[in-house]
Amino acid sequence: MSRQPTPLFPPSFVWGTATSAYQIEGAVAEGGRGPSIWDEFCDRPAMIAGGETGRVAADHYHRWPADVDLMARLGLDSYRLSLSWSRILPTGSGPVNPEGVDFYERLLDRLCAVGISPAVTLFHWDLPSALQDQGGWMNRDTAYRLGEYAQVVGERLGDRVGMWMPINEPVVHTLYGYALGVHAPGLALGFEAFQAAHHQLLGHGLAVQALRSAGCDNIGIASNHAPVHAASDSPADVLAADVYDHVVNWMFADPILLGKYPAEELAQLVSGPLDADLKIISTPLDWYGINYYEPTVIAAPVEGQGTAGVLEVDLPPGLPFAPVPMTGYPTTDFGWPVVPEALGEILRTFKTRFGAALPPIYITESGSSWHDLPDEFGEFVDRARIDYHDAHLRAVRSAMDDGVDVRGYFVWSLLDNFEWAAGYKERFGLVHVDFQTQERTPKASFEWYRALIAKHRAARV
Ligand code: FCB
C-alpha cells in the first residue's frame, strides 16, 4: 500500500476514536451499577471465546484519568464513548444512581478540560437486565424506557456533550442478539427478531425527541452499513443479494431517513401503529453515522443447506440468501476482508439513495483487528493497522471529492478491548492493553494518527 502522506481533509473535519462501555469499563458490580444482558450472557457457558467476560475489560472505570491523558496526547477532537445504561439507571428506569452520573460527569468534565468534545452513545448493546426480564427490545415499552433515559442524561450531562447517538448498530444487535443468538441476549428468533429492530428504531426516535426537549442538539446515530455484492450475475444471486441488502442496510436506514420501510414484505415483519411510529423514527437528525467494516458477498441459497461461518456465525437453512467468502482481498487477523473502496462505495450509495434527505455523514467507526505482538524493543509496530486507516481515509476523501458530505472519522478503537463473543484475542486499539497488568502501550498507529491529527490542527490556524 501507498506510503504517500494521507491526503488532507478540510480544517473542520473531526478526528476521533470510539469505544463502548461494556467493552472497556469493567467494574460491573461497582458504583451501584445494575446488571446488564452482557454480564449474564458472558456467564453462560461457551458463549464467549475462551470463556472470557467484560467483568474487568480494560478497567477504564478506574483508569479513565490516564486514558484521557492518552487521548489528549493523541490530540483528538472528539471521543466517542457509550454510557452504561445500568450504571445510570440500575434497573433501566426509575431512580437515578448518583454514583453512575458522577462517574460520567467527572469523565466528561476532564475530556472538556483537555479540549476533547465527548460524542455519547446511549445504548451500545448493554441493555439493563431488568428490562430484558420484561422482554427487552421485543417489548415496545423498552423504546419508551430509552426515551426516558435520554431525557435524564440530556438534562444531567447535556451541557458537556458535543454529539449524541441514541443507539449503536441496531442491525447487529438485532441479527446477532435476537435472530441468531450469538450475542446477548442470546435469542434465536429468526425473522421474528425484526420486532426488536422496530422497537430499537422507535426508541431511537423517542430518544432524539427527548434529547431535543432537554436542550441538546447535534444528534445522529451510529449504524452499521456496507455494500452487498452478488456472487455472480445470475438472476438468483442478484435477487438474493438484493434481499440481503434490504434486510441489513435499508431496513435500518430508510425508516430513519425516509420515514418508511424499504419493502412491504419487510414492513409486514413488524407490528405496531406503523405510520405513527415511523413519524417518530424519522425525527430529523443533524447527521448520520456510518460504522463500516467489510462488504458482504451473497449467493442464492442451496436448498436445505445453511451457511457455515462466513459472518462468524452459522446461518440456519431456509434463508433467502447465503453469504459466501469474499476472495481476492487480504483479510485482517479477525478474518474480515480489507476492502477500503467499499467504504467509498457505501458513502456514494447513501448520497444517491437518500439525496436531499441525507444529512452530513460521520464515519462513527472504522477499524481492524490485528493480533499485535511486541518487537524486541517492546514496541508494537502495527503497520497493517496504519495501512488500513490510511486506505480507508483515502476512500472517504475520494467520496468527499465526489460530493459526499463527510464531516469526521472515528477510529475503532482507542484501546484494545473486549470484542464481544470473540473475547480479548481481537485487538482493534491504537493503544495496546496487557489484560494481565492493564499496562497501556501506544502502538505505532497511535503515533501515526497523532501526527495526522497534528498536521490538520496546524492547518486550522
Ligand atoms: C462494531 C461494534 C463495536 C466493535 C466493532 C469491532 O460492530 O459496534 O462495538 O465491536 O464492531
Side-chain angles (χ1 to χ4, degrees):
M1 281 190 199
S2 168
R3 291 288 186 276
Q4 293 295 315
T6 306
L8 279 179
F9 285 75
S12 58
F13 196 79
V14 172
W15 298 97
T17 59
T19 61
S20 88
Y22 191 74
Q23 294 179 273
I24 63 166
E25 284 183 5
V28 294
E30 287 179 54
R33 177 186 179 277
S36 86
I37 58 171
W38 272 94
D39 301 308
E40 293 184 5
F41 191 69
C42 292
D43 284 344
R44 287 211 220 159
M47 297 320 284
I48 313 292
E52 284 157 344
T53 82
R55 265 197 289 277
V56 178
D59 197 29
H60 175 74
Y61 185 77
H62 298 112
R63 293 168 195 269
W64 64 268
D67 290 340
V68 175
D69 288 348
L70 280 169
M71 294 183 227
R73 211 169 109 194
L74 191 51
L76 292 181
D77 294 319
S78 182
Y79 169 54
R80 178 176 169 230
L81 66 148
S82 81
L83 309 181
S84 158
W85 187 339
S86 63
R87 235 183 239 301
I88 293 180
L89 299 165
T91 57
S93 62
V96 173
N97 169 32
E99 264 190 273
V101 176
D102 282 357
F103 168 68
Y104 291 115
E105 283 200 314
R106 287 195 301 272
L107 174 57
L108 297 186
D109 281 344
R110 181 73 73 96
L111 287 165
C112 293
V114 299
I116 298 173
S117 175
V120 169
T121 314
L122 299 183
F123 172 64
H124 197 125
W125 304 351
D126 48 353
L127 195 75
S129 298
L131 295 183
Q132 195 67 46
D133 293 345
Q134 293 159 46
W137 290 107
M138 293 302 284
N139 181 347
R140 185 178 172 85
D141 290 348
T142 301
Y144 291 87
R145 301 295 87 81
L146 179 64
E148 290 156 13
Y149 159 47
Q151 184 83 34
V152 167
V153 167
E155 284 168 5
R156 308 265 178 133
L157 305 174
D159 53 345
R160 280 151 277 189
V161 175
M163 291 169 80
W164 292 98
M165 286 141 281
I167 59 175
N168 177 73
E169 295 191 359
V171 63
V172 177
H173 191 55
T174 301
L175 297 186
Y176 284 15
Y178 283 81
L180 299 165
V182 295
H183 275 188
L187 300 173
L189 303 175
F191 278 98
E192 278 176 39
F194 280 101
Q195 194 61 49
H198 180 69
H199 291 151
Q200 284 174 81
L201 295 175
L202 178 62
H204 156 87
L206 291 165
V208 173
Q209 296 183 348
L211 287 170
R212 293 221 194 276
S213 83
C216 305
D217 65 3
N218 212 8
I219 306 170
I221 186 173
S223 199
N224 183 291
H225 294 287
V228 176
H229 294 156
S232 79
D233 292 342
S234 81
D237 285 353
V238 170
L239 176 67
D242 190 52
V243 171
Y244 188 82
D245 196 21
H246 278 74
V247 166
V248 300
N249 283 315
W250 315 127
M251 182 78 181
F252 292 85
D254 285 13
I256 289 177
L257 293 171
L258 303 176
K260 59 179 192 187
Y261 278 112
E264 192 42 42
E265 298 90 311
L266 292 175
Q268 277 169 13
L269 294 173
V270 305
S271 65
L274 283 201
D275 288 346
D277 286 359
L278 284 161
K279 279 211 175 65
I280 297 170
I281 292 169
S282 58
T283 304
L285 295 179
D286 301 294
W287 51 272
Y288 192 95
I290 292 181
N291 293 359
Y292 168 79
Y293 289 93
E294 51 173 328
T296 318
V297 182
I298 296 290
V302 177
E303 209 171 314
Q305 234 175 63
T307 317
V310 178
L311 303 171
E312 295 124 58
V313 288
D314 294 346
L315 296 181
L319 294 174
F321 41 71
V324 295
M326 183 153 211
T327 50
Y329 289 90
T331 54
T332 69
D333 287 346
F334 205 167
W336 297 0
V338 178
V339 193
E341 60 272 26
L343 173 54
E345 183 186 340
I346 194 71
L347 289 170
R348 291 182 185 88
T349 301
F350 261 73
K351 183 173 157 62
T352 313
R353 184 175 183 91
F354 299 110
L358 183 65
I361 292 179
Y362 286 85
I363 306 303
T364 33
E365 286 181 25
S366 170
S368 53
S369 169
W370 306 95
H371 302 166
D372 310 301
L373 292 172
D375 66 10
E376 65 269 40
F377 307 107
E379 288 175 7
F380 294 91
V381 185
D382 55 339
R383 191 70 232 179
R385 190 174 285 100
I386 295 173
D387 286 343
Y388 184 96
H389 286 295
D390 174 78
H392 286 71
L393 280 164
R394 282 170 200 280
V396 171
R397 179 72 247 201
S398 124
M400 289 167 72
D401 292 341
D402 288 347
V404 188
D405 184 4
V406 186
R407 301 278 176 97
Y409 182 88
F410 288 79
V411 167
W412 184 272
S413 178
L414 175 72
L415 303 170
D416 290 341
N417 59 48
F418 176 72
E419 178 47 34
W420 309 113
Y424 292 98
K425 189 170 167 208
E426 302 307 334
R427 293 179 175 274
F428 283 86
L430 300 178
V431 176
H432 181 269
V433 176
D434 177 331
F435 291 105
Q436 303 303 314
T437 63
Q438 293 295 342
E439 189 187 350
R440 271 76 163 140
T441 309
K443 304 174 192 175
S445 56
F446 179 99
E447 291 308 326
W448 169 83
Y449 201 43
R450 192 191 57 69
L452 183 68
I453 298 172
K455 189 161 80 177
H456 284 84
R457 287 235 160 150
R460 276 181 199 165
V461 183

